Amino acid sequence: MREGVVTKDDLEAFRRRFSEWLERNSPDWWPRTIESIHRRIYDDIIPQMRAWQRRLYEEGWLGYGVPERYGGKGGSRLLEFVIHEELAKRSAAPVLNRIGLVTALPILLSHGTDAQRERYVPPILRADEIWCQGFSEPSAGSDLAVLACRGEIKGDSLIISGQKVWSSLAHIADYCLLLCRTGKVEDRHRSITCVILPMKSEGVRVSPIKQITGETEFNQIFLSEVRVPLENVIGELNQGWNIAMMTLNHERLLMCMEMLAKASAAFNRFRGMIEEVGESDKTYWKARAVDLLIDLEKSKALLESMMNLAQRGEVGPETTIMKLSATNAIQRTYLTINEYLGGGATSDADGCDISWFRGMLWSRGRAIAGGTSEVLRNIISERILEMPR
Amino acid sequence: MRFRVIEPELNEEDTLSVRTFESLLGRSYGRTQMRVVADSNRSAVSALKAELVNTGLTSLFLMDEEGNDGSKMVVAACLSQLSGRHLVPLGLLTLHLISSYLLSKSIREPLKRVELIEELGVKVVTPLLNNRLQLVDKGSPQASLSPADGKVSVNGLVLDLDVSDLVLLPVLDDGVTRLFLIESSSIRRFATPVQFIDLTSTCQMVRGELDVKTDEIARYYVKSDQILEDVAHSSILLAAEALGCAERLLEMTVEHLMVRETFGKKVASYQAIKHRCSDLLVRIEELRATVLYNSNSKLRCLVSKALAGEVVTHVALEAIQLHGGVGFTWDNDTHLYLRRGKVCDNLVIDSRHARELLSRIL
């Protein structure tokens, strides 16, 4: 995908403007604590979150990289990434329709028909319609190319049956960006089709998955002979793999921007904590803070270099390196803070803060979502180091 | 085989400078010459020096009136990185660049700068270090001025004295560090060689007294209040040197693994091995990012310096292990890079000091 041109100075000026705006307008119903960093999107605040995204859009902060005729503002997508990053940095309420904006929208723009773009893009921007993603399956995670969810062509419809897993927001979504098998399994990625699945269709059932944090962010989707019109196919039949993969590097880049924003916010709080330590322990904890500072700074420097590539529209498999680096930074930050707090992070008794433990649990998921660290290492060794499969 | 993921942002002129040095190394200082140097035959070093001063690259930091914006530092970092890849003696390039950076930051008068440009265009300057390889250490200074007789007592180390024309003395004078620049010839008589872990550089111990007033050997006498700041900034070049070592180590390792076979298949095809190599690349690219994207900030430079020692040591030890028995042999180059890496880790401002300075910034 071709990016609109944007310079580093443009991005920083935009960041400052948004940051000032956010300072005045961050919603007070969203708890600005560590808790919000990994908080599931509770059903009871969905209306406020919809309204928040709509406001961001109407105030001109969303829709970059989207042509004006579809309700966007043109320009570079990276401007919008800065919005997500700033929200994460300040632990402010995130954008509700994240999958719609980050995954579905660029795919619709690059491979959708005019009719699809006109129909689906504006409601994504306004959070009128929420999207989820149906890629992974119980037996097709890291090796996504063996996915089994079937799509049989009958007349002018696809009849879809199968199961999807790890679908964030599926419980409230209106549409799912779904990958299904429309040919032989042996053809692997050459017989996969990308389709827009209305979640209200007959035969769709959503079941929540409880995570180690105790929260329920993901869902399973069960599909039983769900009829979807063929006009909902994005791009050509059996071309879904390349379509789905094209947004992967950008998603990973955004994920890293948010991880590092959160890690920096947590680190700044840690710096405050150790100021209160007695002199005898201070040297030790300052040294530990320096370790974290080095982890964060090296990862931030890497992100700057990746943003540089992205500004030129050249972001590719090197985002795998970025993700391993950012995952390390955030995991080590949470682990160190938990070590520092000791028993103080194990309960919510007076003077304790259990959310740091939950944050640490949440950070473990970062090494799994968006490509496990093991798969990323495979990609690095095979595609960059050119070692044999 | 080259696995560089991040590239520096250089203008045309700077790109040309880097390419000039790279082709010079390719022509005059390949692996064969480097191995000969490691066996104590220094003729290739003298030849390289003659060619290097001809390029004009040695006056890099002095050409810029305002004194070294970030872009010059990136060019210098690219040169040091190549120096690390080729194991160019430290005194010939990286320590020269650090010394000339410190001089350029201290000398503000235009006439003196012009004089220095002319001089450093054709001469190599290397700093006097203390016995722990530190450039500024008020606890155990390598040179101090006696107010009674105006003599400078010198007790420290100089790397690659054989190819240096000038020595930069950071002299402690009543609690303040002043920079003197003296002819190398005037301290050669005090020098005795010491065993040094880096086989492609040499190390001389220098101990004696210099009469700077009467000898007129000291050309510049500048007070540098902020020498520690400047040293912190210029230490990025040692991070770049270490980066060059680390990237070459990974290349050598992958090349080896692609050829060696065990249990009927290439060692490079085992996932356990591939993942280790991937982790090495991640660490190298992180280091590269801190070297090339340091925004000329003191914090990033110190992070880079502290990180570099850790990364190059780790990569070298992994390289030795992944080479198997071959990695434990003298003829394999991995140990030469480990040696250089350990020196970079400790040179000018060691990781411990860099971390201490970072903890003060916190």
Side-chain angles (χ1 to χ4, degrees), chain A residues 291 297 325 377-378 382, chain B residues 274-275 279 286 300 355:
Chain A
D291 285 340
E297 285 299 319
S325 173
R377 289 185 178 101
N378 283 350
E382 287 161 15
Chain B
K274 283 155 73 174
H275 282 194
D279 284 339
E286 287 174 333
R300 243 336 134 68
R355 281 170 177 272

Side-chain angles (χ1 to χ4, degrees), chain A residues 19 51 76 176 201 205 251 265 271 308:
Chain A
S19 174
S76 166
C176 177
S201 309
R205 185 167 67 84
E251 280 171 49
R271 264 157 62 153
N308 224 27

Side-chain angles (χ1 to χ4, degrees), chain A residues 35-47:
Chain A
E35 197 80 38
S36 66
I37 286 176
H38 49 87
R39 186 176 173 176
R40 73 164 284 216
I41 294 164
Y42 294 102
D43 295 350
D44 56 352
I45 54 166
I46 295 295

Side-chain angles (χ1 to χ4, degrees), chain B residues 54-92:
Chain B
N54 267 338
T55 62
L57 290 172
T58 47
S59 55
L60 180 72
F61 279 127
L62 298 145
M63 302 307 283
D64 176 3
E65 269 298 306
E66 287 307 303
N68 328 305
D69 54 27
S71 67
K72 280 282 174 282
M73 198 51 113
V74 176
V75 182
C78 292
L79 301 180
S80 285
Q81 179 202 340
L82 287 167
S83 164
R85 284 183 67 88
H86 287 256
L87 294 176
V88 171
L90 283 159
L92 195 54

Side-chain angles (χ1 to χ4, degrees), chain A residues 15-218:
Chain A
R15 182 192 301 282
R16 273 196 303 279
R17 284 212 317 277
F18 179 65
S19 174
E20 283 162 22
W21 182 87
L22 187 60
E23 188 68 42
R24 295 190 306 275
N25 294 288
S26 190
D28 51 11
W29 47 262
W30 182 263
R32 280 209 203 192
T33 64
I34 177 78
E35 197 80 38
S36 66
I37 286 176
H38 49 87
R39 186 176 173 176
R40 73 164 284 216
I41 294 164
Y42 294 102
D43 295 350
D44 56 352
I45 54 166
I46 295 295
Q48 282 111 306
M49 294 201 66
R50 271 187 204 272
W52 171 234
Q53 182 182 327
R54 193 168 303 137
R55 178 147 183 237
L56 286 169
Y57 170 66
E58 283 167 356
E59 297 266 354
W61 301 117
L62 295 179
Y64 290 93
V66 181
E68 285 172 24
R69 65 193 153 119
Y70 304 123
K73 296 182 70 67
S76 166
R77 263 184 94 188
L78 292 179
L79 292 165
E80 193 168 297
F81 282 17
V82 165
I83 301 293
H84 294 289
E85 188 182 26
E86 284 300 304
L87 292 170
K89 197 185 284 173
R90 291 163 174 272
S91 302
V95 174
L96 175 63
N97 202 9
R98 184 196 166 87
I99 296 154
L101 285 168
V102 178
T103 310
L105 197 152
I107 285 176
L108 286 165
L109 288 180
S110 63
H111 289 85
T113 61
D114 270 345
Q116 286 171 339
R117 291 175 193 162
E118 275 162 21
R119 164 63 189 83
Y120 295 108
V121 172
I124 288 176
L125 290 169
R126 296 174 53 84
D128 288 342
E129 289 172 352
I130 307 301
W131 284 61
C132 66
Q133 182 179 300
F135 286 10
S136 295
E137 297 180 4
S139 298
S142 292
D143 188 8
L144 189 60
V146 299
L147 63 86
C149 177
R150 296 288 312 173
E152 300 282 351
I153 300 168
K154 279 202 180 151
D156 57 359
S157 298
L158 268 180
I159 309 297
I160 302 171
S161 293
Q163 192 180 339
K164 293 290 173 180
V165 75
W166 316 130
S167 293
S168 301
L169 298 180
H171 60 300
I172 58 159
D174 301 286
Y175 291 94
C176 177
L177 187 75
L178 186 95
L179 293 181
C180 62
R181 175 79 56 197
T182 41
K184 289 182 290 198
V185 180
E186 305 84 82
D187 289 339
R188 289 179 62 89
H189 58 271
R190 288 181 298 277
S191 60
I192 291 171
T193 295
C194 185
V195 63
I196 302 165
L197 170 83
M199 291 295 283
K200 307 286 187 294
S201 309
E202 200 178 319
V204 177
R205 185 167 67 84
V206 176
S207 165
I209 300 171
K210 195 167 181 177
Q211 301 160 203
I212 57 172
T213 55
E215 291 157 344
T216 307
E217 189 189 328
F218 304 126

Side-chain angles (χ1 to χ4, degrees), chain A residues 203-373:
Chain A
V204 177
R205 185 167 67 84
V206 176
S207 165
I209 300 171
K210 195 167 181 177
Q211 301 160 203
I212 57 172
T213 55
E215 291 157 344
T216 307
E217 189 189 328
F218 304 126
N219 301 277
Q220 292 189 85
I221 307 175
F222 298 93
L223 302 153
S224 174
E225 298 192 358
V226 181
R227 183 177 291 271
V228 177
L230 273 174
E231 66 187 33
N232 278 23
V233 169
I234 301 179
E236 303 287 316
L237 277 170
N238 300 324
Q239 296 295 314
W241 179 263
N242 291 339
I243 295 172
M245 291 302 120
M246 58 162 278
T247 61
L248 218 61
N249 289 320
H250 279 89
E251 280 171 49
R252 230 177 249 145
L253 187 65
L254 175 59
M255 206 175 156
C256 293
M257 289 168 83
E258 290 174 313
M259 267 196 270
L260 289 179
K262 288 169 182 174
S264 296
F267 175 71
N268 285 336
R269 290 190 53 192
F270 179 56
R271 264 157 62 153
M273 290 176 202
I274 60 172
E275 281 309 313
E276 292 156 20
V277 180
E279 282 308 312
S280 59
D281 283 347
K282 200 165 235 168
T283 312
Y284 173 77
W285 285 107
K286 278 224 160 190
R288 296 292 303 271
V290 168
D291 285 340
L292 288 186
L293 176 72
I294 293 172
D295 277 342
L296 272 175
E297 285 299 319
K298 69 188 185 185
S299 214
K300 282 188 198 165
L302 201 53
L303 182 62
E304 282 167 39
S305 71
M306 296 286 155
M307 289 300 280
N308 224 27
L309 289 175
Q311 281 157 31
R312 298 200 299 259
E314 292 171 9
V315 62
E318 57 278 356
T319 55
T320 49
I321 294 177
M322 181 70 245
K323 179 157 180 266
L324 286 175
S325 173
T327 305
N328 170 64
I330 196 153
Q331 292 189 339
R332 285 201 28 174
T333 304
Y334 279 114
L335 278 174
T336 305
I337 295 173
N338 272 273
E339 199 184 322
Y340 170 78
L341 290 171
T346 58
S347 77
D348 63 355
D350 285 349
C352 298
D353 191 351
I354 198 171
S355 68
W356 288 106
F357 177 73
R358 294 212 194 103
M360 185 272 284
L361 289 179
W362 169 84
S363 75
R364 307 318 293 175
R366 302 298 89 193
I368 300 164
T372 65
S373 295

